[in-house]
Amino acid sequence: MILMGDIYESVMELAKRRGFVWPTSECYGAVAGFIDYGPLGAMMKRKVEDLWRDFYVIREGYYEIECPTVGAEAIYIASGHVKGFADKMCQCPHCREYLRADHIAEAHGKANAAVLSAPELSAFLRLLPCPACEGELGDIEVFDFNLMFETQIGPGSQRKGYLRPETAQGIFADFNRLVRFYRNKLPFGAVQIGKSYRNEISPRQGMIRLREFTQAEAEIFVHPEHKEHPNFALYTDYEMPLLGIVQQQTSAPPLRISMKNAVSRGLVANEYVAYYLALTHELLVCAGVREEKLRFRQHLPDERAHYAEDCWDAEIFSERFGWVETVGIADRTDYDLRAHAAHSGDSFTVFIPFDTVRYERKRRIIPDMGVLGPRYRGKAKQISEALAAADPGEDGVEISVDGERFFIARDLYREVEEDVEIRGIDVRPHVIEPSYGIDRMMYAIFEHRYDEEMVEGEIRKVLRLPPRIAPVQAAVFPLMNRDGLDEIALSITQSLVEQGILAQYDDSGAIGRRYRRQDEIGTPFAITVDYDTLEDSTVTIRDRDSMNQVRIAKNDVPETLRLLINGTLNFDLLKK
RNA sequence: GCAUCGAUGGUCUAGUGGCAUGACUUUGGCCUUCCAAGCCAAUAGCCCGGGUUCAAUUCCCGGUCGAUGCACCA
């Protein structure tokens, strides 16, 4: 329960004050769209990323790679970002408002205005009113505003580069290496966690829309005809709310449905997409997102990229921002690999051998280059290629090269029939892409796990973080700062550190105050050394969420905490 | 980017054309046998730049950041 005020204000105030999230370079004036993670925020973010790695790297076996954040222009020409990641903008000459040129055109009946060129758009807009001030747009200039940050590689301006707008392209560009790494077998996957950059026109909403943000993306390469996930059994009966296209069009509530049924009813395109919907659901809940504030929404046909076969967003409900898209899960088909193949000249395919070698009877045309060469000179090569693909008649064949027609007589080539051995086929995989916005996850966790309650007339602020995510995992207090209690507490702290547990020792102020300090930063457990400890070598362990305490042997503290933190042991079971 | 509003110790806040309030937090000390107790002390602030003025935290202009609306946006 939140007792007072706007939860966003309360959460961000705490995050700032306790060192989770800070405005960047505050002493020079912060910059919108950029944030710093402070000591606790950076620690917590790393733990969220490690949780993600547990799911994708350890469990799925998709190894992590790391590519530069600066990419050569060619990559983003191929990916379509140089052309497509730009908005057609214009500025109203009267009110100086920046406007989306294609949106105005579409509002006035121009279908598919997004594909028009800048001059075409500017001609179309001439007589239209500005949506902001109603003034006639007149002789208006339409320009591209590309959302990528641009830079130069090397001195001068020899080579143009861009800060990556997504981590995915680095994985695609490494495809041929990855195929070899995974020994030419499908499916395989690679993941990347790192910074991406988008020069947002107007970033607002704190951590939700950043110009520099962290993505965790997986690119899973699958055989286009085999979209059954090998471990689908894990999630066949997993149920979660799906807001499909039909539900959205009929304003129906999300459908709670098992993954098996979602696929068999055609709600979700295939097992791979369904598998990662379920995995994402599990991961987000595990990270601390409230299950009842999480839904999966399918892209409507007009918002889905033309090449995508199916696309879903994991949306997390924020009191402040409404439903926030936090994870995108798409079947991108072979779009990306095809684009990189076309631009780079590499094949971007995997050779898949058949179980048994096949033979096909093929008619092959062998040109007589001894004659064709001298006769057609520069065109000879093209003619021989066209000839190889032609289907000759009785006395010869007519082919065309560059629009010019040639008749090649029967005696200028030989036709042979032969059995050709076909050992396999080059397959261009389809890409299943789950793409996570880590910063949005972080905000959602803060908002969902922040709590206030009234305790003896005081507001108690608690971050109810899952123990795995909490930046500090345990606190150790001497009840009194004397009589040797402090030495015992210090030695317990040391024993925790030796177990790899981040523990904070605190002997400052009243015991209640120390508990509150830890509650605020989400520390799940606190160990207190009191006078009984001197008698029987037990200490109390206090659970953040219930504030209950249980006595355990001092020597059991490191192992007990280890089990509590990794979730093997539940605090309630400690009681007996 | 436009319009409106705002910005005072770490946090919340009072107030002013002339020495800038108070509370909480934090630090040190005293006290204290389990959930922000008490006492003493300390640290720490008027978003930035320019203008008006003898004097600007205060008034004016510009900027930055934040909130809201428009626009934009996965």
Side-chain angles (χ1 to χ4, degrees), chain A residues 30 75 122 142 160 190 276 286 340 360 394 457 476 503 507 547 563:
Chain A
I75 299 171
S122 99
V142 173
K160 199 189 262 188
Y276 290 105
C286 208
H340 284 292
E360 271 180 34
E394 287 278 309
V476 186
D507 63 6
M547 295 197 280
L563 297 173

Side-chain angles (χ1 to χ4, degrees), chain A residues 178-198:
Chain A
L178 287 165
V179 170
R180 262 158 230 125
F181 174 84
Y182 284 104
R183 304 207 310 266
N184 305 300
K185 287 193 181 68
L186 289 176
F188 68 85
V191 308
Q192 182 157 198
I193 301 179
K195 291 294 187 78
S196 293
Y197 302 82
R198 295 179 189 178

Side-chain angles (χ1 to χ4, degrees), chain A residues 506-526:
Chain A
D506 187 0
D507 63 6
S508 156
I511 188 78
R513 179 186 300 277
R514 286 179 263 164
Y515 285 135
R516 292 292 180 276
R517 274 202 277 259
Q518 296 297 333
D519 289 340
E520 235 182 19
I521 63 169
T523 307
F525 305 107

